[in-house]
């Protein structure tokens, strides 16, 4: 059974009952339209905590004025069934007025990390994310919260926020779950036509090529230039294709520390993002 919780009073009572039973609590925040990527977060959370609570909240403040807030897929019954099947203890599905009651006015500004790459394309996005996640964390008060590496910059922004505000929760990143053909699972994949879905394979293919070739010594700017061309040739308009330091997100041109290659690109009305680790080659020193 997965208890469906809509309001703050029931949430607090449920959390209090779990706590008085001595249970540990893990939290998986989502925007719904759940797929195997979300369920991987739930499954990993279940490894560490007795109770897992997933939230579904399509957060208006992280969408820009010309983004897909109103058409974002909403399928609460199907999501509830998936969570039941996964053995998730509770589903918190608040109304907008529960998260942003009348008079709500505080926002969290996560600083420099939130202004680059995805943040540069979507001004205000990470402030919306950091604000809603902080509020959800304060409402749920979990021991740990799970986030996907699929949204790599988001994971770093949340880690920064939790560290800076000394929120008493552990933030855990979970590797990206992909379809067998390599496309990262995303609720937004539902927007793609069959032809667009096929073309979208250029994104993981490009990331994989860069993640493989950069450690072999290939020039990163050359890899990025030909990657960009391949993405455009497949019919996408890239917002960015960058290789950055994995911790600071500063752009890099030579690989000396763990890095990340990140992409965002649009096809038709759909904007997809993806990323992969780029690790410096380990030196096998022969003596
Ligand atoms: P969303 O519902 O898209 O806001 O995602 C909710 C959480 O699930 C975020 O922490 C995402 O990073 C994570 N997530 C989304 N897609 C995937 C995926 N394919 N693999 C792993 N985690 C994912």
């Amino acid at each position: 059974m997965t208890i469906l919780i809509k309001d703050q009073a029931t949430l607090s009572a449920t959390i209090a009952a779990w706590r008085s039973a001595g249970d540990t609590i893990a939290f998986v925040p989502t925007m719904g339209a759940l797929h195997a990527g979300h369920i991987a977060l739930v499954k990993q959370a279940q490894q560490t905590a007795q109770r897992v609570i997933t939230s579904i909240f399509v957060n208006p403040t992280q969408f820009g004025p010309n983004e897909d807030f109103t058409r974002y897929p909403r399928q609460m019954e199907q999501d509830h069934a998936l969570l039941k099947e996964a053995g998730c203890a509770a589903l918190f599905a608040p109304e907008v007025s529960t998260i942003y009651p009348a008079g709500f006015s505080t926002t969290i500004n996560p600083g420099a990390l939130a202004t680059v790459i995805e943040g540069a394309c979507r001004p205000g996005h990470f402030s919306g994310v950091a604000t809603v996640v902080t509020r959800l964390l304060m409402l749920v008060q979990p021991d740990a919260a799970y986030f996907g590496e699929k949204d790599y910059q988001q994971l770093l922004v949340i880690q920064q926020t939790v560290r800076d505000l000394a929120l008493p929760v552990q933030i855990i990143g979970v590797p990206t779950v992909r379809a067998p053909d390599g496309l990262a699972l995303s609720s937004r994949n539902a927007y793609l036509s069959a032809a667009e879905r096929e073309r979208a394979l250029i994104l993981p293919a490009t990331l994989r090529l860069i993640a493989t070739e950069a450690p072999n010594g290939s020039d990163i700017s050359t890899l990025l230039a030909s990657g960009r061309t391949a993405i455009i040739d497949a019919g996408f308009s890239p917002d960015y294709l960058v290789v950055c330091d994995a911790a600071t997100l500063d752009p890099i041109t030579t690989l000396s520390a763990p890095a990340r290659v990140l992409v965002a690109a649009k096809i038709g009305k759909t904007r997809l993002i993806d990323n992969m680790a780029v690790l410096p080659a380990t030196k096998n020193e022969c003596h």
Side-chain angles (χ1 to χ4, degrees):
M1 199 188 64
T2 303
I3 320 163
L4 175 61
I5 302 172
K6 306 276 301 179
D7 64 289
Q8 195 176 331
T10 312
L11 177 68
S12 303
T14 306
I15 299 289
W18 290 348
R19 287 294 182 201
S20 62
D23 290 346
T24 51
I25 299 171
F27 178 44
V28 179
T30 82
M31 297 205 300
L34 301 182
H35 50 65
H38 298 111
I39 300 303
L41 268 59
V42 171
K43 292 285 174 194
Q44 191 157 330
Q46 286 169 334
Q47 307 287 313
T48 57
Q50 274 114 10
R51 304 282 188 169
V52 175
I53 176 164
T54 297
S55 65
I56 294 182
F57 181 64
V58 185
N59 174 36
T61 67
Q62 71 187 69
F63 288 80
N66 299 315
E67 293 180 6
D68 56 346
F69 174 68
T70 47
R71 73 177 186 123
Y72 197 83
R74 288 161 173 89
Q75 45 181 58
M76 194 58 76
E77 276 181 28
Q78 191 181 316
D79 288 350
H80 193 182
L82 277 173
L83 291 171
K84 274 185 202 161
E85 200 181 302
C88 186
L91 163 57
F92 179 45
E95 299 294 338
V96 172
S97 59
T98 300
I99 298 301
Y100 301 115
F104 185 97
S105 82
T106 299
T107 53
I108 295 192
N109 173 359
L113 261 187
T115 64
V116 295
I117 318 179
E118 185 73 359
C121 294
R122 304 179 69 188
H125 169 68
F126 285 122
S127 174
V129 168
T131 304
V132 79
V133 169
T134 301
R135 182 151 167 84
L136 288 167
L137 289 173
M138 297 315 285
L139 291 172
V140 175
Q141 310 222 341
D143 300 289
Y146 287 74
F147 292 84
E149 288 181 358
K150 161 73 168 49
D151 300 278
Y152 185 77
Q153 189 173 359
Q154 168 174 283
L155 173 61
L156 293 189
V157 164
I158 299 299
Q159 282 168 338
Q160 170 99 48
T161 303
V162 163
R163 201 166 52 237
D164 290 354
L165 300 180
L167 301 180
V169 61
Q170 208 186 341
I171 300 300
I172 300 184
V174 178
T176 302
V177 177
R178 297 179 179 280
D181 61 11
L183 188 68
L185 298 186
S186 165
S187 306
R188 290 189 168 99
N189 291 351
Y191 300 147
L192 298 170
S193 68
E196 289 170 339
R197 168 81 183 60
E198 191 62 34
R199 286 161 174 247
L201 296 178
I202 193 64
L203 300 180
T206 302
L207 296 179
R208 201 171 297 285
L209 187 74
I210 294 173
T212 313
E213 289 306 316
N216 289 340
S218 299
D219 177 61
I220 290 178
S221 338
T222 312
L223 287 172
L224 289 173
S226 50
R228 209 180 157 83
T229 305
I231 288 169
I232 294 168
D233 288 349
F236 276 84
S237 313
D239 276 352
Y240 56 80
L241 173 66
V242 286
V243 179
C244 299
D245 180 273
T248 63
L249 296 185
D250 292 335
I252 60 156
T253 46
T254 52
L255 188 61
S256 54
R260 207 87 195 172
V261 54
L262 302 101
V263 68
K266 271 191 222 102
I267 191 160
K269 282 186 173 172
T270 308
R271 183 174 181 277
L272 299 179
I273 63 170
D274 197 357
N275 69 88
M276 283 184 197
V278 187
L279 301 174
T282 44
K283 291 190 189 86
N284 280 323
E285 285 173 27
C286 301
H287 295 283

